[in-house]
Amino acid sequence: MSSSVVVLLIAALLIQFPIAALVYLDARRLDLERATMYALGILSVPLAGWVVVLWYLSQRSELPRADEATVDSD
C-alpha cells in the first residue's frame, strides 16, 4: 500500500514539473505580474498543485499584468 502511494506522489511530481514550466512560460508570455508565483504554487505541494493549475487556467485572463502595476503606481 505505501509503495503505491509513493509511486503516485512521484508520478504527480513528474507530471507537475513540466506543467509548472508551461504555466511559467505562459505567464511570462502574457507579462503577468508574478509569473514565478504561479509555477511555485504548482510545485509547492505535490497533489494540491492541481488546484493551482485549475485556478490559473480559469483566472488567466483576469490576472494582474506587469504593465498595469507600473501604471497604478504612477
Side-chain angles (χ1 to χ4, degrees):
M1 176 66 181
S2 66
S3 64
S4 61
V5 171
V6 171
V7 169
L8 284 174
L9 285 174
I10 290 172
L13 279 174
L14 289 176
I15 292 170
Q16 282 181 255
F17 272 107
I19 291 174
L22 289 174
V23 165
Y24 175 75
L25 292 174
D26 183 60
R28 291 285 305 245
R29 183 183 63 81
L30 293 174
D31 197 28
L32 296 182
E33 189 174 328
R34 292 177 246 145
T36 310
M37 181 185 73
Y38 305 116
L40 290 177
I42 294 169
L43 294 176
S44 64
V45 181
L47 296 177
W50 294 105
V51 175
V52 178
V53 171
L54 295 174
W55 178 82
Y56 175 80
L57 291 175
S58 69
Q59 300 294 318
R60 195 172 157 230
S61 62
E62 302 167 12
L63 295 173
R65 308 273 190 245
D67 55 353
E68 291 174 3
T70 57
V71 171
D72 291 341
S73 64
D74 289 341

